[in-house]
């Protein structure tokens, strides 16, 4: 039988407000355990919550950017459960009246067609504390308790692990672009759970689904969904009955393992949160929030292709984060060479950033300095090869490329007489290679150019080197 996979994602994103959702404690990541706390977020008796208006604003902003309708008369609810990371023994969240409903994200399929993935709802809620399992026992840190979250629930519209990754990537880029979340998966500010089932291809009756938790990267998401698809198909083929389980992705062993079965599902006994007033959101405020939404990544992507004439692939990569998009745009305008700006950012600079775990916003050099480097190369002052060395120095020190060039004496040599001497000596010493060339192996030219560049420590103007070698080799 042929199968089709059905996936829906539940994404929790930490909203980047300065203070928590129901009290004035800081939301800053880390800190000494239990220092970002007060009676409200510790759930002490008698402490009363206040809803942070900024959290509602960010929730609405996310909803508008994701094409949702905003619920004007909403409320907060209690979700009751007992667990050591939840000090009140209930979480204040939204049940029947989520802040936003019925939105969508568009993803591009392999055949370049556009597919709409529905968003069922977005609701706001508080995060729980963190349990630290140590050798002596389990400790609890409530710094994260009360940090605001938006939970974004997709419809079961995704039909492959790849589509799920695309959806999450797009969601991440939109949320970080509008500034409601920093979406750092490694710090837990973007977390994703998946509901997944398989059904007979072409059927409209979904199979029994499992929920997968603990996927902390795009790679883990794709691997977990691929594994789970395969596991469910194998079980069905064997005639086994699938059960509605919650499973955990085990990144070390590349498998999903069962956490709990739905037979023991919690009854959360939701009821309205009596300590908070109902939400009454007026159109004027919604419109004011709409005004604050900047150009979105996919809009930017289209504009970059049209305005800067860079390939679609480049535009896609450069608009994955707002900071990268802005860095590119400024560099492209100042250097008047968009393709070179894109190449540097996607190539050498991304590589160095990755190696050093540095974000674009923490780079020591500015778009203006990168534009200057590009202009120095385009103007023939330095070669591209030297540029690659300079960018490392710029990354480490933030110095201007001109300063580095002067300090290290890296100016490109375009003196034909001087280069001629080196070319001549290289040719004189490589008779065998010249023979190869005469026997039709034209590629050896590159090798000879390399030798000259090496001899001149990368400073010779490559165009002149190429020209001279081409001219001189014929004389042998
Ligand atoms: Zn607090």
């Amino acid at each position: 039988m042929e199968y089709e996979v059905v996936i829906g994602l539940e994404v929790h994103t930490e909203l980047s407000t300065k203070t928590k959702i129901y009290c004035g404690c800081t939301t800053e990541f880390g800190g000494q355990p239990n220092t970002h706390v007060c009676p409200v977020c510790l759930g002490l008796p008698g402490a009363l919550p206040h809803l942070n208006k900024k959290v509602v604003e960010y929730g609405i902003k996310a909803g508008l950017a994701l094409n949702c309708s905003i619920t004007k008369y909403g409320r907060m609810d209690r979700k009751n459960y007992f667990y050591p990371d939840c000090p009140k023994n209930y979480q204040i969240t939204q049940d029947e009246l989520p802040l936003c409903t019925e939105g969508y994200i568009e993803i591009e399929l392999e055949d370049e067609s556009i597919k709409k993935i529905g968003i069922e709802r977005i609701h706001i809620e508080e995060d729980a504390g963190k349990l630290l399992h140590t050798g002596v026992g389990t400790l609890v840190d409530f710094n994260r308790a009360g940090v605001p979250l938006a939970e974004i629930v997709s419809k079961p519209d995704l039909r492959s692990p790849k589509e799920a990754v695309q959806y999450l990537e797009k969601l991440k880029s939109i949320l970080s672009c509008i500034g409601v979340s920093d979406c750092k998966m490694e710090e837990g500010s973007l977390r994703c759970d998946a509901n997944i089932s398989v059904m007979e291809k072409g059927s409209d009756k979904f199979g029994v689904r499992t929920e997968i938790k603990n996927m902390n990267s795009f790679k883990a998401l794709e691997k977990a969904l691929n594994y789970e698809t395969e596991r469910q198909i194998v079980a069905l083929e064997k005639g086994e009955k699938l059960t509605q389980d919650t499973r955990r992705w085990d990144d070390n062993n590349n498998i999903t393992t069962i956490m709990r079965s739905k037979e023991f599902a919690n009854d959360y006994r939701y009821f309205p949160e009596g300590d908070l007033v109902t939400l009454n959101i007026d159109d004027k405020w919604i419109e004011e929030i709409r005004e604050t939404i900047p150009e979105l990544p996919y809009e930017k992507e289209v504009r970059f292709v049209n305005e800067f004439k860079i390939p679609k692939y480049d535009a896609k990569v450069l608009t994955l984060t707002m900071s990268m998009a802005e860095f590119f745009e400024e560099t492209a305008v100042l250097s008047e060479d968009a393709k070179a700006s894109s190449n540097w950012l996607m190539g050498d600079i991304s590589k160095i950033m990755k190696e050093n775990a540095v974000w674009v916003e923490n780079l020591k050099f500015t778009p203006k300095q990168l534009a200057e480097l590009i202009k120095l190369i385009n103007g023939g002052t330095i070669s591209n090869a030297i540029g690659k060395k300079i960018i490392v120095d710029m990354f480490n020190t933030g110095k201007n490329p001109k300063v580095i060039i002067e300090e290290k004496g890296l100016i490109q040599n375009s003196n034909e007489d001087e280069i001629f001497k080196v070319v001549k000596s290289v040719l004189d010493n490589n008779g065998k290679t010249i023979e190869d060339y005469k026997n039709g192996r034209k590629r050896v030219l590159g090798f000879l150019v390399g030798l000259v560049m090496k001899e001149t420590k990368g400073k010779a103007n490559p165009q002149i080197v190429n020209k001279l070698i081409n001219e001189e080799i014929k004389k042998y």
Side-chain angles (χ1 to χ4, degrees):
M1 206 197 317
E2 245 195 291
Y3 293 92
E4 192 167 24
V5 62
V6 177
I7 301 167
L9 295 187
E10 284 173 19
V11 175
H12 283 93
T13 183
E14 260 178 27
L15 297 174
S16 45
T17 55
K18 290 203 165 56
T19 55
K20 293 186 179 180
I21 182 167
Y22 307 119
C23 63
C25 293
T26 176
T27 53
E28 213 174 294
F29 179 73
Q32 282 291 309
N34 298 307
T35 52
H36 304 165
V37 291
C38 73
V40 174
C41 55
L42 284 174
L44 299 188
L48 289 172
H50 289 267
L51 181 56
N52 183 345
K53 193 175 176 188
K54 204 78 188 168
V55 173
V56 183
E57 179 189 321
Y58 279 9
I60 294 173
K61 197 168 174 182
L64 293 173
L66 298 171
N67 311 295
C68 292
S69 311
I70 308 300
T71 307
K72 289 187 196 153
Y73 300 97
R75 64 153 198 261
M76 306 303 294
D77 298 289
R78 285 190 188 183
K79 177 181 180 182
N80 297 283
Y81 70 97
F82 180 76
Y83 202 68
D85 64 5
C86 174
K88 298 190 291 290
N89 292 337
Y90 60 81
Q91 178 195 30
I92 307 178
T93 175
Q94 294 188 297
D95 181 28
E96 282 170 358
L97 296 168
L99 192 57
C100 321
T101 56
E102 294 299 323
Y104 65 88
I105 281 182
E106 287 180 336
I107 58 169
E108 195 182 309
L109 301 182
E110 261 166 17
D111 63 359
E112 296 200 347
S113 65
I114 300 292
K115 179 174 176 182
K116 264 189 195 179
I117 307 299
I119 290 171
E120 193 170 295
R121 58 185 282 156
I122 303 176
H123 63 259
I124 48 173
E125 61 186 21
E126 60 184 323
D127 207 346
K130 212 172 188 171
L131 297 180
L132 307 160
H133 304 285
T134 69
V136 289
T138 298
L139 305 172
V140 59
D141 175 9
F142 286 118
N143 283 355
R144 209 181 60 185
V147 165
L149 297 176
E151 181 173 340
I152 301 161
V153 183
S154 86
K155 294 191 174 173
D157 289 346
L158 299 157
R159 288 292 173 273
S160 71
K162 215 173 180 172
E163 284 184 20
V165 171
Q166 272 184 298
Y167 165 87
L168 188 62
E169 273 172 348
K170 189 116 185 211
L171 178 62
K172 183 182 169 188
S173 74
I174 293 173
L175 294 175
S176 53
C177 165
I178 62 173
V180 300
S181 174
D182 63 18
C183 293
K184 287 182 182 165
M185 284 183 107
E186 63 289 352
E187 286 183 8
S189 50
L190 189 76
R191 289 168 252 160
C192 172
D193 301 332
N195 286 304
I196 173 169
S197 63
V198 293
M199 63 180 180
E200 197 180 330
K201 203 175 168 103
S203 165
D204 53 6
K205 198 171 171 287
F206 293 169
V208 175
R209 67 190 160 105
T210 56
E211 186 181 355
I212 313 176
K213 295 191 171 287
N214 199 39
M215 297 166 293
N216 298 325
S217 65
F218 287 101
K219 214 179 241 165
L221 173 69
E222 191 166 7
K223 279 200 288 185
L225 294 175
N226 276 323
Y227 173 85
E228 188 60 18
T229 309
E230 202 50 41
R231 187 191 73 83
Q232 293 188 8
I233 291 175
V234 168
L236 291 175
E237 291 281 293
K238 280 194 205 154
E240 287 170 18
K241 211 169 171 255
L242 290 168
T243 51
Q244 202 179 332
D245 302 326
T246 301
R247 303 179 72 88
R248 179 199 302 275
W249 173 244
D250 176 347
D251 216 9
N252 295 321
N253 299 309
N254 287 322
I255 52 168
T256 62
T257 54
I258 191 155
M259 277 170 79
R260 56 179 178 262
S261 170
K262 272 279 149 93
E263 288 168 45
F264 307 105
N266 287 312
D267 177 358
Y268 293 119
R269 296 187 181 252
Y270 284 98
F271 64 82
E273 168 56 68
D275 288 337
L276 290 171
V277 292
T278 48
L279 288 167
N280 187 350
I281 297 161
D282 63 33
D283 290 330
K284 191 169 157 269
W285 193 37
I286 295 175
E287 287 319 306
E288 277 166 19
I289 296 171
R290 198 190 298 277
E291 293 284 300
T292 65
I293 296 177
E295 183 184 32
L296 292 175
Y298 52 91
E299 295 166 344
K300 242 188 221 320
E301 190 184 315
V302 173
R303 183 168 64 80
F304 280 3
V305 172
N306 294 335
E307 205 168 295
F308 294 114
K309 313 284 174 227
I310 56 170
K312 211 170 153 193
Y313 175 79
D314 290 28
K316 196 168 242 125
V317 175
L318 292 167
T319 51
L320 281 177
T321 64
M322 183 76 162
S323 41
M324 181 60 110
E326 281 174 352
F327 204 103
F328 162 76
E329 186 163 7
E330 217 179 315
T331 310
V333 170
L334 292 170
S335 67
E336 294 166 23
D337 188 341
K339 186 62 186 130
S341 308
S342 159
N343 288 349
W344 280 106
L345 284 166
M346 287 170 55
D348 289 69
I349 296 171
S350 285
K351 189 166 154 263
I352 313 171
M353 286 197 304
K354 211 169 173 188
E355 283 164 3
N356 293 278
V358 165
W359 305 93
V360 179
E361 46 270 53
N362 303 119
L363 282 174
K364 286 184 183 156
F365 60 88
T366 61
K368 195 171 164 220
Q369 287 171 305
L370 178 58
E372 191 181 312
L373 178 71
I374 293 168
K375 283 190 155 175
L376 288 166
I377 295 167
N378 290 350
T381 311
I382 52 166
S383 66
N384 207 53
I386 292 289
K388 280 173 184 288
K389 288 180 187 161
I390 292 174
I391 200 74
V392 178
D393 275 5
M394 285 168 66
F395 178 86
N396 289 326
T397 64
K399 283 184 184 168
N400 275 331
K402 269 188 191 148
V403 173
I404 299 168
I405 291 167
E406 256 167 52
E407 278 176 3
K408 301 204 163 173
L410 295 172
I411 289 185
Q412 178 160 278
N413 187 350
S414 297
N415 182 321
E416 234 178 284
D417 293 340
E418 279 176 41
I419 297 174
F420 180 79
K421 277 179 207 152
V422 184
V423 166
K424 198 80 183 121
S425 98
V426 163
L427 290 176
D428 284 344
N429 290 315
N430 287 279
K432 171 83 181 55
T433 312
I434 296 170
E435 277 306 306
D436 287 349
Y437 172 77
K438 291 193 166 159
N439 290 329
R441 292 190 57 204
K442 305 291 178 208
R443 268 187 301 164
V444 300
L445 282 178
F447 170 71
L448 293 169
V449 171
L451 288 179
V452 174
M453 294 308 286
K454 200 172 163 202
E455 198 65 28
T456 57
K457 297 194 171 61
K459 283 193 239 168
N461 182 326
Q463 272 140 8
I464 297 177
V465 176
N466 266 302
K467 184 183 82 124
L468 290 177
I469 287 185
N470 271 301
E471 285 169 10
E472 290 307 306
I473 200 163
K474 295 192 184 102
K475 300 178 186 162
Y476 281 79

